[in-house]
Amino acid sequence: MQDTHTILLPEVTPEVRQQLFDYVLQLADTSLILAHRLSEWCGHGPILEQDLAMANISLDLLGEARSYYQYAAELEGQGRTEDDLAYLRSAVQYRNPLLVEQPNGDFAHTIVRQFLYDAFHYHLLVQLQTGPDRQLAAIAEKSVKEAAYHVKWSAEWVIRLGDGTDESRRRVETAINALWRYQGELTTPTPTEQALQAVGFVPGYAAIQQQIDQHVARVFEEATLAVPQGVFAQKGGKTGRHSEHLGYLLTELQYMQRAYPGMKW
Amino acid sequence: METAELTQEEQFQTRIDADVRIEPKDWMPEAYRKTLIRQISQHAHSEIVGMLPEGNWITRAPSLKRKAILLAKVQDEAGHGLYLYSAAETLGASRDQMLADLHSGKAKYSSIFNYPTLSWADMGTIGWLVDGAAILNQVPLCRTSYGPYARAMVRVCKEESFHQRQGFEIMQTLSEGTPEQKQMAQEALNRWWWPTLMMFGPKDADSPNTEQSMKWRIKRFTNDELRQKFVDMMVPQAEFLGLTVPDEKLRWNEAKQGYDFGEVDWAEFWDVVKGNGPCSRERLQARVDAWNEGEWVREAALAHAAKRSARGKV
């Protein structure tokens, strides 16, 4: 795959290339931050089988993040590596949406965060697969198979928790109330995304939002949960305006590279 | 020889002596069953508790590649725990009961996991030394007399050898790195060397279960034999890495074609076994917390499954 990168790079203006770099970085940051959050569960899950499942999803997202970082580094062409991009950028340079940096909370919060993200992620990847950027399409094609499993797993848990016990219902409703406000950012395009949508590199979000709504409605109905209406959409992560949680996450994630600069590990 | 004249117990021993595997439905002495449940569940608990010291560095791994490898490794350990709990279940133990025994402190796990992981080099040292010791303990278990345990161990050992290689590779990278990195590697070796030697258990003279376990071919080597093998295997590797094994009495003994080495601090060993290791409380508490905080999740899953089956959905 490494050798074919160059021929798969789309021929675009320097401006579009820069936008593409920013967008791929946004995808990379998003997968990495969610992978990191999920990995915090490792060894502490409620059931051994679910400990394994969360580690598995975390590994998939980490793999996907690495593919994007490697591609972004290539697009940039300045000799930076995947680790430079992940470990040596500050919180305001990170481009992940607010949803994925939210703390794990209880298992219900982790599941709701995951399901809202998975529903978006899956439908986005389906579109990216057929996009004009062949490298991005190849990464999407590999990742969409994993994302299909992720959304199945998180949807099943939303259903179990919603239609389980009184306590699980109360907890999953609390999590939905806490996290729903971050869903809107996923499909609200930034200026970069808008520019790339105009040249066809990023799919239109209206169609994706419709698919997400249908997907969520289906799952919530089976879970006997109500879909929140008219919730204010909190935005900012994709343009570098993060919640306070991200700084602590990066402090931990980047500790070694910051404390021991320039070393090989 | 008429087998009819042998007691059940004698027939059982005859099969063991002929290296015929014992399977779940076969008759077995109650003490054999109990010994195996104790040993297999202890082993399963070690895998699960063993996720914690390495899990401590997943969020701080120094590169994306190392992060992925470490997470995959810790995930493998959860998988090993699952195979082993399943193997113990074939002997009539329930997973919930085994976990209850872990949480109450009745069941033990490997004392090595009661030590803290203080630097990134500990991830290398655990893979290299601790998994190296585990492999020496576990490879003979692939031929242990109880079938389900032996088969679980074949899968476990394949993955463990990958773990050990990744640990050695971390150490090699550090030892070829900056003076700070070399120092990190040496400091980790200094802390883990002796606790790793303790992983083989007490001296043969103080190991009451060894003789019977050897007779039943649950165990194939004594604790001291394995400890000697380990030292003989690891000293040249430490030399290759340019690291110093922290034992002033370590000498090559030409006559026995092996190393002489110093005495393990057995007082420390027994302290840790009794629950006074530096992280004993924290490790057990982390498991108890995960279990207690997960109770509502397990209840929800059961309640939902019951609702579905009542509605006639699979």
Side-chain angles (χ1 to χ4, degrees):
Chain A
M1 186 146 290
Q2 206 79 19
D3 298 330
T4 55
H5 269 169
T6 9
I7 53 160
L8 291 173
L9 279 184
E11 283 194 30
V12 291
T13 63
E15 197 189 356
V16 171
R17 199 181 170 98
Q18 176 64 42
Q19 286 159 348
L20 209 45
F21 169 75
D22 289 339
Y23 179 66
V24 174
L25 211 47
Q26 176 186 317
L27 295 174
D29 291 344
T30 306
S31 291
L32 175 63
I33 297 300
L34 189 54
H36 183 98
R37 280 292 187 222
L38 282 172
S39 79
E40 293 171 354
W41 271 104
C42 190
H44 305 278
I47 307 170
L48 194 48
E49 283 81 350
Q50 301 316 319
D51 217 310
L52 278 159
M54 286 189 279
N56 222 9
I57 296 170
S58 177
L59 277 167
D60 286 345
L61 291 170
L62 190 52
E64 189 183 347
R66 293 183 64 192
S67 299
Y68 292 137
Y69 281 127
Q70 287 162 12
Y71 180 42
E74 189 120 354
L75 278 168
E76 188 187 41
Q78 301 289 320
R80 283 206 280 183
T81 65
E82 56 169 1
D83 287 332
D84 293 335
L85 292 171
Y87 288 88
L88 300 176
R89 283 157 57 241
S90 63
V92 292
Q93 294 171 314
Y94 258 71
R95 289 291 179 266
N96 59 278
L98 296 171
L99 176 69
V100 296
E101 71 198 39
Q102 298 309 306
N104 287 340
D106 65 2
F107 188 67
H109 278 75
T110 294
I111 288 298
V112 171
R113 184 187 63 198
Q114 193 64 37
F115 177 61
L116 293 180
Y117 182 69
D118 289 342
F120 164 74
H121 189 211
Y122 173 73
H123 291 292
L124 174 70
L125 291 174
V126 168
Q127 298 296 320
L128 284 177
Q129 275 186 110
T130 54
D133 181 338
R134 297 316 299 153
Q135 182 58 32
L136 206 48
I139 299 171
E141 200 182 323
K142 178 178 179 288
S143 304
V144 75
K145 298 185 191 95
E146 299 165 348
Y149 159 76
H150 302 168
V151 74
K152 185 169 180 286
W153 177 83
S154 57
E156 280 170 2
W157 274 105
V158 168
I159 293 165
R160 276 190 201 106
L161 298 183
D163 188 24
T165 62
D166 290 345
E167 183 178 7
S168 68
R169 186 182 179 81
R170 181 179 57 73
R171 285 179 184 259
V172 79
E173 282 175 343
T174 304
I176 291 166
N177 286 334
L179 295 167
W180 196 266
R181 62 197 159 128
Y182 299 118
Q183 197 221 22
E185 184 182 12
L186 302 174
T187 50
T188 304
T190 61
T192 301
E193 286 170 302
Q194 278 172 347
L196 289 170
Q197 282 172 334
V199 290
F201 278 89
V202 171
Y205 284 161
I208 290 182
Q209 184 63 54
Q210 206 181 358
Q211 287 167 327
I212 296 171
D213 290 345
Q214 285 168 0
H215 200 141
V216 170
R218 213 164 56 232
V219 171
F220 273 38
E221 193 194 335
E222 202 178 337
T224 70
L225 292 165
V227 177
Q229 301 297 333
V231 177
F232 178 79
Q234 202 64 252
K235 298 184 279 283
K238 293 200 294 190
T239 52
R241 308 283 173 88
H242 291 277
S243 63
E244 291 176 346
H245 303 297
L246 186 66
Y248 293 94
L249 188 156
L250 292 180
T251 301
E252 206 170 323
L253 177 85
Q254 299 179 338
Y255 158 63
M256 291 293 291
Q257 291 276 349
R258 300 288 191 181
Y260 304 95
M263 298 183 197
K264 281 203 168 62
W265 301 98
Chain B
M1 190 73 185
E2 308 284 342
T3 47
E5 290 170 19
L6 297 176
T7 65
Q8 267 184 319
E9 183 122 17
E10 285 163 340
Q11 286 180 39
F12 175 82
Q13 191 61 49
T14 308
R15 293 186 60 186
I16 296 271
D17 294 342
D19 264 334
V20 176
R21 287 268 165 83
I22 307 302
E23 294 300 332
K25 288 187 176 148
D26 295 341
W27 183 88
M28 61 186 82
E30 207 37 44
Y32 176 85
R33 182 189 302 275
K34 275 195 179 143
T35 300
L36 274 170
I37 291 176
R38 182 177 55 82
Q39 184 174 331
I40 300 172
S41 64
Q42 196 169 315
H43 191 164
H45 298 330
S46 299
E47 297 283 356
I48 301 309
V49 177
M51 294 169 73
L52 299 169
E54 288 176 288
N56 186 38
W57 278 87
I58 291 171
T59 55
R60 289 178 291 170
S63 71
L64 296 177
K65 184 180 154 208
R66 289 291 179 207
K67 194 181 184 71
I69 294 173
L70 183 61
L71 180 55
K73 175 179 194 273
V74 179
Q75 189 199 26
D76 282 347
E77 284 155 14
H80 297 172
L82 271 185
Y83 315 153
L84 288 162
Y85 284 126
S86 302
E89 281 170 335
T90 65
L91 291 158
S94 80
R95 205 208 289 187
D96 282 3
Q97 185 56 50
M98 290 185 269
L99 289 174
D101 289 345
L102 170 68
H103 299 155
S104 73
K106 186 182 162 207
K108 300 291 177 207
Y109 56 87
S110 180
S111 57
I112 193 76
F113 302 119
N114 290 321
Y115 288 86
T117 52
L118 301 179
S119 82
W120 171 250
D122 290 28
M123 298 304 99
T125 315
I126 289 180
W128 172 44
L129 289 184
V130 174
D131 293 333
I135 289 169
L136 278 181
N137 270 328
Q138 292 170 5
V139 166
L141 292 175
C142 298
R143 297 187 293 127
T144 198
S145 58
Y146 186 59
Y149 190 23
R151 288 188 289 273
M153 291 315 300
V154 171
R155 296 176 67 179
V156 170
C157 284
K158 276 185 193 154
E159 292 176 348
E160 287 295 349
S161 66
F162 157 74
H163 295 171
Q164 210 235 346
R165 273 203 306 277
Q166 70 85 33
F168 185 79
E169 203 213 323
I170 291 176
M171 296 307 277
Q172 196 174 357
T173 308
L174 293 175
S175 67
E176 289 166 0
T178 64
E180 249 174 320
Q181 286 175 302
K182 280 180 208 167
Q183 193 188 358
M184 197 187 277
Q186 180 64 52
E187 192 278 328
L189 174 59
N190 293 348
R191 276 183 291 113
W192 288 95
W193 176 256
W194 290 105
T196 309
L197 292 190
M198 296 177 197
M199 284 176 70
F200 299 96
K203 282 193 285 196
D204 292 349
D206 301 323
S207 177
N209 301 322
T210 294
E211 196 188 334
Q212 182 63 64
S213 287
M214 301 266 291
K215 193 172 167 229
W216 280 333
R217 300 201 180 173
I218 295 173
K219 230 171 143 165
R220 299 224 171 214
F221 298 98
T222 73
N223 297 351
D224 287 336
E225 283 167 355
L226 289 170
R227 197 167 4 250
Q228 180 70 51
K229 270 194 185 191
F230 177 78
V231 173
D232 293 344
M233 187 170 97
M234 287 303 168
V235 171
Q237 293 185 17
E239 282 169 1
F240 174 85
L241 291 170
L243 299 173
T244 308
V245 172
D247 179 356
E248 286 174 3
K249 293 190 175 140
L250 190 71
R251 298 273 183 286
W252 175 253
N253 181 331
E254 189 60 32
K256 78 170 182 188
Q257 287 294 300
Y259 286 91
D260 291 333
F261 54 96
E263 190 71 16
V264 167
D265 181 349
W266 294 111
E268 178 182 325
F269 172 80
W270 291 112
D271 281 341
V272 180
V273 169
K274 283 177 200 146
N276 295 317
C279 291
S280 300
R281 276 169 178 271
E282 289 80 356
R283 298 292 186 238
L284 197 54
Q285 195 59 47
R287 289 312 314 161
V288 170
D289 288 348
W291 182 254
N292 290 342
E293 283 159 25
E295 190 173 9
W296 69 271
V297 179
R298 298 189 298 274
E299 281 172 0
L302 286 174
H304 180 71
K307 285 183 189 178
R308 282 177 85 92
S309 70
R311 282 185 227 126
K313 278 171 137 183
V314 185

